[in-house]
């Protein structure tokens, strides 16, 4: 009986390293295994494929056992997931955003934004000048704006994935103690390694576009809402560099280093079970440790100043005789911080126990 694996993607990923998959599940294999998949195109039996590979490669491969391994990994069947709303986006619909003309336009927009920041100091990001309205109104605007801009960031990933013909799924998840919106695009393993950068960097590309547009709008009009968009998007970009979590920059670093299990390998190295670890793993293991400090610095320089500014506005409103709006603002902020600190303490204790 002939075996047909022609539906599997086979992508060269490094010296003697190939990624094969069905669009949902992927494994990395040596070159000879990729050659086996190539000859199992539905025109040969397992025995014939073994003889073909032996004649071409000079290596005797137990093709039957290899096919059995693929079956155990779920790779002998096509991925059968129900279509989602993002599948309606065709590559031609979104490829323009990642084209050379779009790159040039973004470069020009960046130049305009930098020129505006140099010419007009009020264009530069300033967290302390962010609160422009009543405390409750700002709190609601900040919360809504943050979620909307996070969604736009993730839509950038979806657009990039669909431009590569890869399936994308949007969901809620966690990064340590943080609730996040995330895009699942496992299928990027089925595209060339260099093309994956588009998918990994697309969210920050959207953020940077909005930052530059906001700077130009702020220069022209002084609109406070533009400052809010700029600050939130800048925070999102900085957040991605906290790649002791699985952020966009984590995937960029892992892709550049060619390490497909970077975080797991680094954690094993820290526990003393990763003997002979690659340089990229040792570097990332160091960042796993100091990254927690950088995470706290992010909140000290972003979340804390905004909280202080809003609470200051609420206190001023209380002093002016207003009551329910500032009290509602302080209640919302207090609940948020209590929940954050409780989750942070639990995560930190769990992390200490893991490495003790």
């Amino acid at each position: 009986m002939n075996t047909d694996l022609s539906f599997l993607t086979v992508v060269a990923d490094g010296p003697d390293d190939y990624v094969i998959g069905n669009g949902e599940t992927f494994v990395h294999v040596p070159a000879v295994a990729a050659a086996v998949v190539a000859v199992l195109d539905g025109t040969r039996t397992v025995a014939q494929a073994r003889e073909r590979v032996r004649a071409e490669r000079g290596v005797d491969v137990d093709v039957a056992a290899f096919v059995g391994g693929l079956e155990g990994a779920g790779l002998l069947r096509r991925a059968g997931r129900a279509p989602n709303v993002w599948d309606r986006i065709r590559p031609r619909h979104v490829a323009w955003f990642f084209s050379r003309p779009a790159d040039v336009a973004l470069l020009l927009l960046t130049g305009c934004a930098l020129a505006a920041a140099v010419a007009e100091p009020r264009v530069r990001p300033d967290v302390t000048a962010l609160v422009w309205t009543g405390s409750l109104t700002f709190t609601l605007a900040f919360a809504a704006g943050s979620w909307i801009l996070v969604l736009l960031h993730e839509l950038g990933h979806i657009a990039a994935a669909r431009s590569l013909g890869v399936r994308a799924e949007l969901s809620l998840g966690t990064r340590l103690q943080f609730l996040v919106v995330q895009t699942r695009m496992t299928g990027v393993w089925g595209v060339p390694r260099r093309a994956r950068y588009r998918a990994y960097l697309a969210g920050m590309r959207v953020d940077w576009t909005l930052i530059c547009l906001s700077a130009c709008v702020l220069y022209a009009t002084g609109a406070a809402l533009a400052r809010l968009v700029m600050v939130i998007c800048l925070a999102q970009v900085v957040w991605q560099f906290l790649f002791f979590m699985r952020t966009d920059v984590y995937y960029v670093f892992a892709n550049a280093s060619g390490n497909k299990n970077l975080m797991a390998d680094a954690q094993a190295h820290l526990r003393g079970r990763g003997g002979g670890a690659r340089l990229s793993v040792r570097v990332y293991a160091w960042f796993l440790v100091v990254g927690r400090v950088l995470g706290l610095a992010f909140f000290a320089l972003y979340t804390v100043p905004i909280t202080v500014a809003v609470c200051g506005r609420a206190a001023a409103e209380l002093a002016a005789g207003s009551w329910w709006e500032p009290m509602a603002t302080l209640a919302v902020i207090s609940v948020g911080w209590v929940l954050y600190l409780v989750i942070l303490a639990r995560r930190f204790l769990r992390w200490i126990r893991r490495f003790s």
Side-chain angles (χ1 to χ4, degrees), residues 220-271:
T221 68
L225 188 60
R227 185 184 304 280
L228 179 64
V229 172
M230 177 193 291
V231 169
I232 292 174
C233 287
L234 275 171
Q236 289 183 170
V237 171
V238 173
W239 165 271
Q240 300 304 329
F241 283 88
L242 301 179
F243 63 110
F244 60 89
M245 302 174 285
R246 286 188 173 89
T247 63
D248 298 350
V249 175
Y250 165 84
Y251 289 107
V252 169
F253 183 80
N255 195 55
S257 65
N259 194 302
K260 299 173 180 62
N261 299 290
L262 180 61
M263 184 168 288
D265 291 346
Q267 290 172 342
H269 176 71
L270 288 173
R271 298 188 187 103

Short mmCIF file of all heavy atoms in Angstrom, two decimals, residues 220-271:
data_model
loop_
_atom_site.label_atom_id
_atom_site.label_comp_id
_atom_site.label_asym_id
_atom_site.label_seq_id
_atom_site.Cartn_x
_atom_site.Cartn_y
_atom_site.Cartn_z
N ALA A 220 0.35 68.62 15.45
CA ALA A 220 -0.54 69.47 14.66
C ALA A 220 -1.70 70.04 15.46
O ALA A 220 -2.13 71.17 15.23
CB ALA A 220 -1.08 68.68 13.46
N THR A 221 -2.21 69.24 16.42
CA THR A 221 -3.44 69.64 17.10
C THR A 221 -3.32 69.73 18.62
O THR A 221 -4.16 70.37 19.26
CB THR A 221 -4.57 68.65 16.77
OG1 THR A 221 -4.28 67.37 17.37
CG2 THR A 221 -4.73 68.47 15.27
N GLY A 222 -2.33 69.05 19.19
CA GLY A 222 -2.23 69.02 20.65
C GLY A 222 -3.29 68.17 21.31
O GLY A 222 -3.54 68.30 22.51
N ALA A 223 -3.94 67.28 20.56
CA ALA A 223 -5.03 66.46 21.09
C ALA A 223 -4.53 65.53 22.20
O ALA A 223 -3.58 64.77 22.01
CB ALA A 223 -5.65 65.63 19.97
N ALA A 224 -5.17 65.61 23.36
CA ALA A 224 -4.76 64.81 24.50
C ALA A 224 -4.93 63.31 24.23
O ALA A 224 -4.17 62.48 24.73
CB ALA A 224 -5.56 65.21 25.73
N LEU A 225 -5.94 62.97 23.43
CA LEU A 225 -6.18 61.56 23.13
C LEU A 225 -5.00 60.96 22.36
O LEU A 225 -4.65 59.79 22.54
CB LEU A 225 -7.47 61.41 22.31
CG LEU A 225 -7.95 59.98 22.06
CD1 LEU A 225 -8.21 59.27 23.38
CD2 LEU A 225 -9.21 59.99 21.20
N ALA A 226 -4.36 61.77 21.52
CA ALA A 226 -3.19 61.30 20.78
C ALA A 226 -2.05 60.96 21.74
O ALA A 226 -1.31 59.98 21.54
CB ALA A 226 -2.74 62.35 19.77
N ARG A 227 -1.90 61.76 22.80
CA ARG A 227 -0.87 61.46 23.80
C ARG A 227 -1.16 60.14 24.49
O ARG A 227 -0.26 59.34 24.76
CB ARG A 227 -0.79 62.58 24.84
CG ARG A 227 0.37 62.39 25.83
CD ARG A 227 0.35 63.47 26.91
NE ARG A 227 0.39 64.80 26.34
CZ ARG A 227 1.50 65.39 25.90
NH1 ARG A 227 2.64 64.74 25.95
NH2 ARG A 227 1.45 66.60 25.41
N LEU A 228 -2.43 59.89 24.79
CA LEU A 228 -2.81 58.64 25.44
C LEU A 228 -2.46 57.44 24.55
O LEU A 228 -1.88 56.45 25.03
CB LEU A 228 -4.31 58.64 25.75
CG LEU A 228 -4.86 57.38 26.42
CD1 LEU A 228 -4.25 57.19 27.80
CD2 LEU A 228 -6.39 57.44 26.53
N VAL A 229 -2.79 57.53 23.27
CA VAL A 229 -2.48 56.45 22.34
C VAL A 229 -0.97 56.25 22.26
O VAL A 229 -0.47 55.12 22.29
CB VAL A 229 -3.05 56.77 20.94
CG1 VAL A 229 -2.55 55.74 19.92
CG2 VAL A 229 -4.58 56.76 20.98
N MET A 230 -0.21 57.33 22.18
CA MET A 230 1.24 57.24 22.08
C MET A 230 1.83 56.53 23.30
O MET A 230 2.66 55.62 23.18
CB MET A 230 1.86 58.63 21.94
CG MET A 230 3.39 58.60 21.89
SD MET A 230 4.13 60.23 22.11
CE MET A 230 3.62 60.99 20.58
N VAL A 231 1.43 56.95 24.49
CA VAL A 231 2.01 56.39 25.71
C VAL A 231 1.66 54.91 25.85
O VAL A 231 2.51 54.09 26.19
CB VAL A 231 1.53 57.19 26.94
CG1 VAL A 231 1.90 56.47 28.23
CG2 VAL A 231 2.13 58.59 26.92
N ILE A 232 0.42 54.55 25.57
CA ILE A 232 0.02 53.15 25.69
C ILE A 232 0.79 52.29 24.68
O ILE A 232 1.29 51.21 25.03
CB ILE A 232 -1.50 52.99 25.49
CG1 ILE A 232 -2.25 53.64 26.66
CG2 ILE A 232 -1.88 51.52 25.39
CD1 ILE A 232 -3.76 53.66 26.49
N CYS A 233 0.90 52.76 23.45
CA CYS A 233 1.61 51.98 22.43
C CYS A 233 3.10 51.87 22.73
O CYS A 233 3.72 50.82 22.50
CB CYS A 233 1.39 52.58 21.04
SG CYS A 233 -0.27 52.32 20.39
N LEU A 234 3.70 52.95 23.25
CA LEU A 234 5.10 52.87 23.65
C LEU A 234 5.28 51.85 24.77
O LEU A 234 6.25 51.08 24.76
CB LEU A 234 5.59 54.25 24.12
CG LEU A 234 6.07 55.21 23.03
CD1 LEU A 234 6.31 56.60 23.62
CD2 LEU A 234 7.34 54.69 22.37
N ALA A 235 4.35 51.83 25.71
CA ALA A 235 4.42 50.85 26.79
C ALA A 235 4.30 49.43 26.24
O ALA A 235 4.97 48.51 26.72
CB ALA A 235 3.32 51.12 27.82
N GLN A 236 3.46 49.26 25.22
CA GLN A 236 3.31 47.93 24.62
C GLN A 236 4.60 47.48 23.94
O GLN A 236 4.97 46.30 24.02
CB GLN A 236 2.15 47.94 23.62
CG GLN A 236 0.79 48.04 24.28
CD GLN A 236 -0.37 47.98 23.30
OE1 GLN A 236 -1.52 47.87 23.70
NE2 GLN A 236 -0.10 48.04 22.01
N VAL A 237 5.30 48.41 23.30
CA VAL A 237 6.56 48.06 22.67
C VAL A 237 7.60 47.67 23.73
O VAL A 237 8.30 46.66 23.60
CB VAL A 237 7.09 49.22 21.81
CG1 VAL A 237 8.51 48.94 21.33
CG2 VAL A 237 6.17 49.45 20.61
N VAL A 238 7.70 48.48 24.78
CA VAL A 238 8.64 48.17 25.86
C VAL A 238 8.30 46.82 26.48
O VAL A 238 9.19 46.01 26.78
CB VAL A 238 8.62 49.29 26.93
CG1 VAL A 238 9.46 48.89 28.14
CG2 VAL A 238 9.13 50.60 26.33
N TRP A 239 7.02 46.57 26.67
CA TRP A 239 6.56 45.30 27.25
C TRP A 239 7.10 44.11 26.47
O TRP A 239 7.50 43.09 27.06
CB TRP A 239 5.03 45.30 27.26
CG TRP A 239 4.40 43.96 27.49
CD1 TRP A 239 4.06 43.04 26.55
CD2 TRP A 239 4.03 43.39 28.74
NE1 TRP A 239 3.50 41.93 27.12
CE2 TRP A 239 3.46 42.12 28.47
CE3 TRP A 239 4.10 43.84 30.06
CZ2 TRP A 239 2.99 41.29 29.49
CZ3 TRP A 239 3.62 43.01 31.07
CH2 TRP A 239 3.07 41.76 30.78
N GLN A 240 7.13 44.20 25.15
CA GLN A 240 7.57 43.08 24.33
C GLN A 240 9.04 42.73 24.59
O GLN A 240 9.46 41.60 24.35
CB GLN A 240 7.36 43.37 22.84
CG GLN A 240 5.92 43.65 22.45
CD GLN A 240 4.97 42.53 22.83
OE1 GLN A 240 5.35 41.36 22.86
NE2 GLN A 240 3.72 42.90 23.10
N PHE A 241 9.82 43.70 25.09
CA PHE A 241 11.22 43.43 25.38
C PHE A 241 11.43 42.79 26.76
O PHE A 241 12.56 42.46 27.11
CB PHE A 241 12.04 44.72 25.27
CG PHE A 241 12.31 45.11 23.84
CD1 PHE A 241 11.40 45.89 23.14
CD2 PHE A 241 13.45 44.66 23.19
CE1 PHE A 241 11.63 46.23 21.81
CE2 PHE A 241 13.68 44.99 21.86
CZ PHE A 241 12.78 45.77 21.16
N LEU A 242 10.35 42.60 27.50
CA LEU A 242 10.43 41.83 28.75
C LEU A 242 10.30 40.35 28.39
O LEU A 242 9.36 39.67 28.78
CB LEU A 242 9.32 42.27 29.71
CG LEU A 242 9.34 43.76 30.11
CD1 LEU A 242 8.18 44.06 31.04
CD2 LEU A 242 10.67 44.14 30.74
N PHE A 243 11.28 39.86 27.63
CA PHE A 243 11.10 38.54 27.04
C PHE A 243 11.56 37.41 27.93
O PHE A 243 11.88 36.33 27.46
CB PHE A 243 11.74 38.47 25.64
CG PHE A 243 13.23 38.66 25.57
CD1 PHE A 243 14.05 37.59 25.26
CD2 PHE A 243 13.79 39.89 25.79
CE1 PHE A 243 15.42 37.76 25.18
CE2 PHE A 243 15.15 40.07 25.70
CZ PHE A 243 15.98 39.00 25.39
N PHE A 244 11.57 37.65 29.26
CA PHE A 244 11.62 36.50 30.17
C PHE A 244 10.26 35.82 30.16
O PHE A 244 10.11 34.71 30.68
CB PHE A 244 12.02 36.95 31.58
CG PHE A 244 11.07 37.94 32.21
CD1 PHE A 244 9.99 37.50 32.95
CD2 PHE A 244 11.26 39.30 32.06
CE1 PHE A 244 9.11 38.40 33.54
CE2 PHE A 244 10.40 40.22 32.65
CZ PHE A 244 9.31 39.76 33.38
N MET A 245 9.27 36.49 29.58
CA MET A 245 7.98 35.88 29.26
C MET A 245 7.96 35.60 27.75
O MET A 245 8.83 36.06 27.01
CB MET A 245 6.84 36.81 29.65
CG MET A 245 6.82 37.19 31.10
SD MET A 245 5.55 38.43 31.50
CE MET A 245 6.31 39.91 30.82
N ARG A 246 6.96 34.88 27.30
CA ARG A 246 6.86 34.58 25.86
C ARG A 246 6.22 35.76 25.13
O ARG A 246 5.08 35.70 24.69
CB ARG A 246 6.07 33.28 25.65
CG ARG A 246 6.86 32.03 26.02
CD ARG A 246 6.11 30.78 25.62
NE ARG A 246 6.91 29.59 25.82
CZ ARG A 246 6.96 28.88 26.95
NH1 ARG A 246 6.23 29.28 27.99
NH2 ARG A 246 7.71 27.80 27.04
N THR A 247 6.98 36.82 25.00
CA THR A 247 6.54 38.01 24.27
C THR A 247 7.00 37.89 22.82
O THR A 247 7.67 36.94 22.43
CB THR A 247 7.11 39.28 24.91
OG1 THR A 247 8.55 39.22 24.81
CG2 THR A 247 6.72 39.40 26.38
N ASP A 248 6.66 38.91 22.03
CA ASP A 248 7.07 38.90 20.62
C ASP A 248 8.58 38.82 20.47
O ASP A 248 9.10 38.10 19.60
CB ASP A 248 6.55 40.17 19.92
CG ASP A 248 5.04 40.26 19.93
OD1 ASP A 248 4.38 39.27 20.29
OD2 ASP A 248 4.52 41.34 19.57
N VAL A 249 9.31 39.57 21.30
CA VAL A 249 10.77 39.57 21.20
C VAL A 249 11.34 38.21 21.61
O VAL A 249 12.38 37.79 21.08
CB VAL A 249 11.37 40.72 22.05
CG1 VAL A 249 12.89 40.66 22.07
CG2 VAL A 249 10.90 42.06 21.51
N TYR A 250 10.68 37.52 22.53
CA TYR A 250 11.11 36.15 22.87
C TYR A 250 11.12 35.28 21.63
O TYR A 250 12.09 34.55 21.36
CB TYR A 250 10.18 35.56 23.93
CG TYR A 250 10.33 34.05 24.06
CD1 TYR A 250 11.33 33.51 24.86
CD2 TYR A 250 9.48 33.18 23.38
CE1 TYR A 250 11.49 32.13 24.96
CE2 TYR A 250 9.63 31.81 23.48
CZ TYR A 250 10.64 31.29 24.27
OH TYR A 250 10.79 29.93 24.37
N TYR A 251 10.05 35.33 20.85
CA TYR A 251 9.96 34.48 19.65
C TYR A 251 10.97 34.93 18.59
O TYR A 251 11.51 34.09 17.86
CB TYR A 251 8.54 34.50 19.11
CG TYR A 251 7.57 33.74 19.99
CD1 TYR A 251 6.64 34.42 20.78
CD2 TYR A 251 7.61 32.36 20.06
CE1 TYR A 251 5.78 33.73 21.62
CE2 TYR A 251 6.73 31.66 20.89
CZ TYR A 251 5.83 32.35 21.66
OH TYR A 251 4.98 31.66 22.50
N VAL A 252 11.22 36.24 18.52
CA VAL A 252 12.24 36.72 17.58
C VAL A 252 13.61 36.19 17.98
O VAL A 252 14.38 35.69 17.14
CB VAL A 252 12.25 38.27 17.55
CG1 VAL A 252 13.48 38.78 16.80
CG2 VAL A 252 10.98 38.79 16.89
N PHE A 253 13.94 36.26 19.27
CA PHE A 253 15.22 35.78 19.76
C PHE A 253 15.36 34.27 19.56
O PHE A 253 16.41 33.78 19.12
CB PHE A 253 15.38 36.14 21.23
CG PHE A 253 16.71 35.76 21.83
CD1 PHE A 253 17.82 36.56 21.63
CD2 PHE A 253 16.86 34.60 22.59
CE1 PHE A 253 19.05 36.22 22.17
CE2 PHE A 253 18.08 34.25 23.12
CZ PHE A 253 19.19 35.06 22.92
N ALA A 254 14.30 33.54 19.87
CA ALA A 254 14.34 32.09 19.69
C ALA A 254 14.50 31.73 18.22
O ALA A 254 15.26 30.81 17.87
CB ALA A 254 13.06 31.46 20.25
N ASN A 255 13.83 32.45 17.35
CA ASN A 255 13.94 32.18 15.91
C ASN A 255 15.35 32.50 15.40
O ASN A 255 15.93 31.74 14.61
CB ASN A 255 12.90 33.01 15.16
CG ASN A 255 12.70 32.55 13.73
OD1 ASN A 255 12.40 31.39 13.47
ND2 ASN A 255 12.88 33.46 12.78
N ALA A 256 15.91 33.62 15.86
CA ALA A 256 17.24 34.01 15.43
C ALA A 256 18.30 33.03 15.91
O ALA A 256 19.27 32.75 15.20
CB ALA A 256 17.56 35.42 15.93
N SER A 257 18.11 32.50 17.13
CA SER A 257 19.09 31.57 17.68
C SER A 257 18.89 30.15 17.19
O SER A 257 19.75 29.29 17.39
CB SER A 257 19.02 31.60 19.21
OG SER A 257 17.77 31.11 19.68
N GLY A 258 17.73 29.89 16.56
CA GLY A 258 17.45 28.55 16.07
C GLY A 258 17.08 27.57 17.16
O GLY A 258 17.09 26.35 16.94
N ASN A 259 16.72 28.09 18.33
CA ASN A 259 16.35 27.22 19.45
C ASN A 259 14.83 27.13 19.54
O ASN A 259 14.16 28.12 19.79
CB ASN A 259 16.94 27.79 20.75
CG ASN A 259 16.88 26.78 21.89
OD1 ASN A 259 15.81 26.31 22.22
ND2 ASN A 259 18.02 26.45 22.46
N LYS A 260 14.32 25.93 19.36
CA LYS A 260 12.87 25.75 19.28
C LYS A 260 12.21 25.57 20.65
O LYS A 260 10.99 25.61 20.76
CB LYS A 260 12.55 24.57 18.37
CG LYS A 260 13.05 24.78 16.94
CD LYS A 260 12.88 23.54 16.10
CE LYS A 260 13.40 23.80 14.70
NZ LYS A 260 14.86 24.12 14.68
N ASN A 261 13.02 25.32 21.69
CA ASN A 261 12.49 25.15 23.05
C ASN A 261 13.31 26.02 24.01
O ASN A 261 13.80 25.54 25.03
CB ASN A 261 12.55 23.68 23.46
CG ASN A 261 11.72 22.79 22.57
OD1 ASN A 261 10.50 22.85 22.59
ND2 ASN A 261 12.37 21.97 21.77
N LEU A 262 13.47 27.28 23.66
CA LEU A 262 14.39 28.16 24.36
C LEU A 262 14.07 28.27 25.84
O LEU A 262 14.96 28.12 26.69
CB LEU A 262 14.38 29.54 23.70
CG LEU A 262 15.30 30.59 24.32
CD1 LEU A 262 16.75 30.15 24.24
CD2 LEU A 262 15.13 31.93 23.62
N MET A 263 12.83 28.56 26.19
CA MET A 263 12.50 28.76 27.59
C MET A 263 12.69 27.48 28.41
O MET A 263 13.28 27.51 29.50
CB MET A 263 11.07 29.28 27.74
CG MET A 263 10.71 29.61 29.18
SD MET A 263 9.16 30.52 29.33
CE MET A 263 9.62 32.13 28.70
N ALA A 264 12.23 26.36 27.88
CA ALA A 264 12.38 25.09 28.60
C ALA A 264 13.85 24.74 28.77
O ALA A 264 14.28 24.28 29.84
CB ALA A 264 11.64 23.98 27.86
N ASP A 265 14.66 24.96 27.74
CA ASP A 265 16.09 24.66 27.82
C ASP A 265 16.77 25.57 28.83
O ASP A 265 17.66 25.14 29.58
CB ASP A 265 16.74 24.82 26.45
CG ASP A 265 16.31 23.75 25.46
OD1 ASP A 265 15.71 22.75 25.89
OD2 ASP A 265 16.56 23.93 24.25
N ALA A 266 16.38 26.84 28.87
CA ALA A 266 16.99 27.79 29.81
C ALA A 266 16.61 27.43 31.25
O ALA A 266 17.44 27.51 32.16
CB ALA A 266 16.55 29.21 29.48
N GLN A 267 15.37 27.04 31.47
CA GLN A 267 14.94 26.64 32.81
C GLN A 267 15.68 25.39 33.26
O GLN A 267 16.08 25.27 34.42
CB GLN A 267 13.43 26.44 32.83
CG GLN A 267 12.65 27.73 32.71
CD GLN A 267 11.15 27.51 32.53
OE1 GLN A 267 10.71 26.42 32.15
NE2 GLN A 267 10.37 28.54 32.78
N ALA A 268 15.88 24.45 32.33
CA ALA A 268 16.64 23.23 32.66
C ALA A 268 18.09 23.59 32.99
O ALA A 268 18.69 23.02 33.91
CB ALA A 268 16.59 22.25 31.50
N HIS A 269 18.65 24.55 32.27
CA HIS A 269 20.02 25.00 32.53
C HIS A 269 20.13 25.62 33.92
O HIS A 269 21.11 25.36 34.65
CB HIS A 269 20.45 26.00 31.46
CG HIS A 269 21.81 26.59 31.68
ND1 HIS A 269 22.96 25.85 31.52
CD2 HIS A 269 22.19 27.84 32.06
CE1 HIS A 269 24.01 26.62 31.78
NE2 HIS A 269 23.57 27.82 32.11
N LEU A 270 19.13 26.40 34.32
CA LEU A 270 19.15 27.02 35.64
C LEU A 270 19.04 25.99 36.75
O LEU A 270 19.57 26.19 37.85
CB LEU A 270 18.00 28.03 35.76
CG LEU A 270 18.15 29.33 34.96
CD1 LEU A 270 16.88 30.16 35.04
CD2 LEU A 270 19.34 30.14 35.45
N ARG A 271 18.37 24.89 36.47
CA ARG A 271 18.24 23.83 37.47
C ARG A 271 19.43 22.88 37.47
O ARG A 271 19.44 21.91 38.22
CB ARG A 271 16.95 23.03 37.22
CG ARG A 271 15.67 23.84 37.35
CD ARG A 271 14.45 22.93 37.29
NE ARG A 271 13.24 23.70 37.24
CZ ARG A 271 12.51 23.90 36.13
NH1 ARG A 271 12.91 23.38 34.98
NH2 ARG A 271 11.41 24.61 36.16
#
